[in-house]
Amino acid sequence: MNELSKILIREFKMKRQRNLKFSLRAFAKFLKTDASNLSKILRGERIPSASFALELLQRLNINTDERNIVLKSLVETKSHLKEEKKEKSKNLEHKIVASCHWLHLILLELSQIMILTPNQLEKISRILNVSLYEVKVAYEELARWDLLNEDGIDNYSTMCGPITAENLRAIQRQFLKMAVDAMEIYDLTERENTTLTFSIPKTHIPEVKEILKKTRDRINRLSNMKKNQKSCIYNISMALYPVCDSADLS
């Protein structure tokens, strides 16, 4: 439990001692926040920003020394959580590369916008037009790895591991097939299909690949900005490949 949670619990108990009818909702109202948010902070499930924490401490007239201890504790906690997130992302990346099925990626993203349960698997199988067995296997693997319904996991693409791995190529083939099918199913307002055929020196290909990577990373950051507003899963498959080399024609 972090120092902010300890102080808030202490102050809540003190107010309850003076007035047994003083509820958590009343405490939240006093602190000018909602009860759900306060409850998560008290349990240590939510780490507020330093500025918000300072507002809470000021409303409780907490002395400067304790405020400094709390702010230091928040910085340390956030740093620890950041390292944990990095480690979890790294572990996830290795697992996805190792087993690598396109259903893993879709189920992971679904778990970011809803609580995914076994009861929903049949509906997911119909939407994705795959067998219920395949969806169950993918779901059970992610559940076994404790990766479902995890907050803060970044999006993953087929660039998360060695591009030469056969399982990653299988994912790419599947998503490209889905992109072709989408042209017949979805209106232009819901999709974007463009191609660019261009001539270029081979020495410039690394620069083109870097541009594509930056574009992907920028979209990924945009996706993670408003997590509580997510509602649908999209896929972008970028394919850069040689069509013809003039040396082959001479």
Side-chain angles (χ1 to χ4, degrees):
M1 184 179 294
N2 61 64
E3 295 301 320
L4 177 62
S5 299
K6 291 178 183 177
I7 289 176
L8 291 176
I9 291 171
R10 182 191 73 195
E11 295 296 315
F12 179 55
K13 286 181 177 178
M14 288 172 59
K15 290 182 181 297
R16 286 271 295 173
Q17 287 173 356
R18 292 192 291 268
N19 178 7
L20 291 176
K21 293 183 179 180
F22 190 76
S23 65
L24 183 65
R25 191 175 297 277
F27 192 39
K29 187 175 181 181
F30 171 78
L31 294 172
K32 297 184 179 179
T33 186
D34 63 87
S36 174
N37 185 46
L38 178 60
S39 179
K40 289 178 180 178
I41 293 173
L42 290 175
R43 295 196 301 268
E45 295 174 1
R46 177 167 293 172
I47 309 300
S49 65
S51 59
F52 183 64
L54 196 56
E55 287 178 19
L56 298 179
L57 296 172
Q58 287 173 339
R59 292 187 185 111
L60 292 167
N61 293 319
I62 302 300
N63 65 57
T64 303
D65 288 341
E66 281 195 301
R67 288 184 198 177
N68 290 336
I69 290 172
V70 167
L71 294 178
K72 182 182 178 182
S73 170
L74 288 178
V75 170
E76 291 173 350
T77 301
K78 287 193 172 185
S79 176
H80 177 68
L81 290 175
K82 189 175 180 180
E83 289 304 312
E84 278 190 346
K85 180 182 174 183
K86 279 184 181 179
E87 188 61 30
K88 180 168 286 188
S89 294
K90 189 185 297 182
N91 291 338
L92 173 60
E93 185 171 309
H94 291 324
K95 288 169 181 174
I96 290 297
V97 171
S99 65
C100 224
H101 192 287
W102 62 275
L103 280 170
H104 287 143
L105 304 182
I106 292 178
L107 291 177
L108 280 171
E109 289 305 313
L110 277 172
S111 75
Q112 292 294 293
I113 61 178
M114 62 192 298
I115 301 299
L116 211 53
T117 66
N119 295 334
Q120 297 160 321
L121 301 185
E122 186 174 352
K123 185 178 290 186
I124 292 170
S125 72
R126 289 199 302 270
I127 292 172
L128 298 178
N129 195 28
V130 296
S131 71
L132 178 58
Y133 173 77
E134 287 180 277
V135 177
K136 280 184 175 179
V137 168
Y139 176 88
E140 287 167 2
E141 285 178 329
L142 293 174
R144 188 167 64 249
W145 294 331
D146 196 28
L147 295 173
L148 287 171
N149 305 317
E150 286 289 339
D151 183 38
I153 293 178
D154 292 335
N155 298 359
Y156 281 83
S157 76
T158 52
M159 294 180 75
C160 67
I163 209 66
T164 55
E166 177 54 35
N167 49 4
L168 291 174
R169 291 202 297 271
I171 285 183
Q172 291 174 319
R173 284 193 291 268
Q174 174 62 31
F175 281 132
L176 287 171
K177 178 183 178 299
M178 290 169 67
V180 172
D181 293 342
M183 287 192 289
E184 307 301 326
I185 299 171
Y186 298 102
D187 185 78
L188 273 172
T189 56
E190 297 184 82
R191 63 177 175 84
E192 177 72 18
N193 294 84
T194 59
T195 62
L196 173 66
T197 305
F198 58 99
S199 54
I200 191 171
K202 278 191 174 180
T203 53
H204 288 188
I205 292 302
E207 185 176 349
V208 174
K209 291 174 73 172
E210 183 62 24
I211 291 171
L212 294 176
K213 181 180 181 299
K214 286 181 178 179
T215 300
R216 183 206 66 179
D217 291 344
R218 184 178 175 186
I219 294 170
N220 193 44
R221 287 195 299 272
L222 179 64
S223 162
N224 289 317
M225 283 175 62
K226 297 183 177 180
K227 295 187 177 182
N228 61 334
Q229 297 180 19
K230 291 183 178 183
S231 62
C232 56
I233 313 298
Y234 266 72
N235 172 266
I236 296 177
S237 296
M238 296 182 287
L240 172 70
Y241 55 91
V243 176
C244 182
D245 192 322
S246 61
D248 297 333
L249 302 176
S250 57

